[in-house]
Amino acid sequence: MTELLIIWDWLAFAVRWLHVITAMAWIGASFYFIALDLGLNRNIAGPADGEEWQVHGGGFYHVQKYLVAPSTMPDHLVWFKWESYVTWLSGAALLMIVYWAGGELYLIDRAKADLSVWQGILISAASLSVGWMIYDYLCKSRLGERPTVLMVLLFVMLVTMGWAYNQVFTGRAVLLHLGAFTATIMTANVFFIIMPNQRIVVADLKAGRKPDSKYGKIAKLRSTHNNYLTLPVIFLMLSNHYPLAFATQYNWVIAALVFLMGVTIRHYFNTVHTKTGNPRWTWLVTALLFISIMMLSQAPLVQDTYEESEARTLSPTELVFAQAAHFEDVMNVVPGRCAMCHAREPYYDGIRRAPKGVLLETRADVAKMARQIYLHAGVTHAMPPANVSYMEMEERRLIRHWYRDAQNTRRLASQ
């Protein structure tokens, strides 16, 4: 079973790698086309809506944009869609690998809601679908003609979802799910709205009909939303590496401010690209928002105390690790080598919050984090960083034996 754990971890790494690569491709293409569209020279004669000359990689490129479509369909037409689709699919797979399969550890915070893992998974999956349906309904309503009001309502919906997630999930899962919630809206915009509308235009051209400009207008609204949501989504996806972002009772407020930062940053660049101004005031607003985030990150984290953790009833899985051979020996190693940082009140210089919110002080803490301890301090030497607490090879061997004994016990019990 330990071999399967290694394979599973490498699978998670591979999926994460794919997710990052495709996200870079999608975001890069999105930023490029938004900047291109806003910066086109429209003082030209002819059927084109605008054009631009560009230089890159030793070559010159002459780009033209048609507001609806050219008079005839070109032989070679490149569709930008798979970057978005694969980003979402790989992200969904990563969500399942990390937060669904690891639900006992990463998904449900039982201090907030006493739910089983399957209930948490159901909430996780359903919320992503419901978010898109509400958003799509708003866009197709009369609000579609009032883009500013629509953006405000979208912001309210995102803030509300952040608060709702925080009533059930762990801090890491809150921000990650809010990012997935937003990314689902963005990809669904591409799959259900932007691409179908473009196919209608292409079909009209092939049939010799004049395409209706309304399809381009609808797609442009959704594309604009995606443009303003991109930067916050990146922040939320990176947040699980930074406890200062997620390990506070105000993590959902931090997320709300990040969405506002996305608006101010994109407003600056969009305005500059259109050559209609240079709104430097957005720099000050963005800086003030970021300072507010830093202040909120220092708010107390609502978590169990040392005494509450000691008294907590262990789950069946945790109980196996707490009763396994060598556990008492491991308890003589892990808290001493790791709890200087992974504590409710870290005392290692420069550490204010336990890295990634991982606590390793009590028996319940260690039993809960058995898999991570095995991978990071037993199989590899990732922890402690630079071996600052001088964990010995014999102690790492002890961790490996403890974990493998517990896994063997679980395997025998399941037969």
Side-chain angles (χ1 to χ4, degrees), residues 51-270:
E51 68 175 18
E52 186 170 65
W53 283 90
Q54 300 179 345
V55 60
H56 179 74
F60 292 87
Y61 299 81
H62 184 203
V63 184
Q64 291 182 313
K65 176 193 173 182
Y66 293 81
L67 188 60
V68 179
S71 56
T72 58
M73 179 56 56
D75 294 331
H76 302 287
L77 185 63
V78 178
W79 296 76
F80 290 86
K81 56 182 180 179
W82 288 110
E83 299 91 339
S84 172
Y85 298 166
V86 178
T87 297
W88 189 88
L89 290 171
S90 58
L94 198 58
L95 177 69
M96 296 174 189
I97 291 172
V98 177
Y99 289 89
W100 291 9
E104 288 189 4
L105 184 61
Y106 296 119
L107 187 61
I108 298 295
D109 186 341
R110 288 184 172 81
K112 299 176 181 177
D114 188 15
L115 300 174
S116 62
V117 172
W118 74 265
Q119 290 173 317
I121 292 173
L122 186 62
I123 293 172
S124 170
S127 66
L128 303 184
S129 302
V130 170
W132 157 251
M133 289 188 288
I134 295 174
Y135 164 80
D136 187 53
Y137 172 80
L138 292 174
C139 288
K140 290 178 178 177
S141 70
R142 293 181 180 180
L143 292 171
E145 301 297 325
R146 303 176 66 185
T148 302
V149 175
L150 184 58
M151 281 291 288
V152 171
L153 288 177
L154 175 57
F155 173 72
V156 171
M157 181 176 71
L158 292 170
V159 175
T160 302
M161 281 307 304
W163 175 86
Y165 280 138
N166 197 44
Q167 307 309 303
V168 179
F169 294 154
T170 64
R172 291 179 65 181
V174 168
L175 296 192
L176 191 284
H177 274 78
L178 190 56
F181 180 92
T182 309
T184 298
I185 289 175
M186 294 170 66
T187 297
N189 274 338
V190 176
F191 185 82
F192 291 112
I193 303 297
I194 297 173
M195 292 305 301
N197 284 7
Q198 289 178 339
R199 292 189 187 99
I200 292 172
V201 171
V202 170
D204 285 343
L205 283 171
K206 288 182 177 179
R209 298 186 296 267
K210 182 180 179 180
D212 192 332
S213 62
K214 73 176 183 179
Y215 296 110
K217 182 180 178 181
I218 293 171
K220 181 66 179 295
L221 175 67
R222 304 299 183 100
S223 182
T224 300
H225 290 168
N226 283 7
N227 176 248
Y228 280 100
L229 292 174
T230 298
L231 294 179
V233 166
I234 296 173
F235 178 97
L236 294 170
M237 292 308 181
L238 293 175
S239 66
N240 60 24
H241 298 287
Y242 297 93
L244 284 173
F246 69 78
T248 166
Q249 58 184 312
Y250 299 120
N251 49 29
W252 64 278
V253 181
I254 288 175
L257 296 180
V258 169
F259 279 113
L260 293 179
M261 285 176 61
V263 172
T264 57
I265 293 170
R266 290 313 304 165
H267 177 70
Y268 173 79
F269 283 102
N270 291 344

Side-chain angles (χ1 to χ4, degrees), residues 31 155 366 390 409:
F31 280 5
F155 173 72
V366 173
Y390 304 103
T409 300

Side-chain angles (χ1 to χ4, degrees), residues 242-406:
Y242 297 93
L244 284 173
F246 69 78
T248 166
Q249 58 184 312
Y250 299 120
N251 49 29
W252 64 278
V253 181
I254 288 175
L257 296 180
V258 169
F259 279 113
L260 293 179
M261 285 176 61
V263 172
T264 57
I265 293 170
R266 290 313 304 165
H267 177 70
Y268 173 79
F269 283 102
N270 291 344
T271 303
V272 170
H273 289 151
T274 57
K275 302 178 178 66
T276 57
N278 190 359
R280 292 192 178 90
W281 60 267
T282 58
W283 298 5
L284 175 61
V285 174
T286 303
L288 291 175
L289 287 170
F290 194 69
I291 292 171
S292 300
I293 288 172
M294 289 191 289
M295 294 174 64
L296 283 171
S297 71
Q298 301 178 57
L301 172 63
V302 178
Q303 62 184 13
D304 61 359
T305 64
Y306 184 96
E307 292 75 15
E308 289 171 335
S309 177
E310 285 278 47
R312 180 172 66 84
T313 301
L314 302 184
S315 70
T317 300
E318 293 170 348
L319 196 59
V320 171
F321 287 104
Q323 294 177 343
H326 308 298
F327 180 69
E328 297 303 328
D329 296 325
V330 167
M331 283 302 300
N332 290 329
V333 173
V334 173
R337 302 296 189 188
C338 309
M340 60 184 68
C341 298
H342 292 284
R344 287 154 182 81
E345 296 182 10
Y347 55 88
Y348 192 83
D349 188 36
I351 303 294
R352 299 193 60 182
R353 295 281 175 86
K356 292 194 175 183
V358 174
L359 302 174
L360 298 174
E361 294 180 288
T362 69
R363 298 169 65 87
D365 293 339
V366 173
K368 179 180 179 181
M369 298 302 301
R371 178 175 178 270
Q372 298 304 317
I373 294 170
Y374 170 72
L375 287 175
H376 294 290
V379 177
T380 71
H381 294 186
M383 291 291 164
N387 203 19
V388 293
S389 59
Y390 304 103
M391 182 177 285
E392 299 176 359
M393 294 301 295
E394 179 60 25
E395 292 172 332
R396 297 184 188 277
R397 185 186 66 81
L398 184 64
I399 290 172
R400 293 196 297 271
H401 285 320
W402 160 63
Y403 186 86
R404 290 167 182 170
D405 286 344

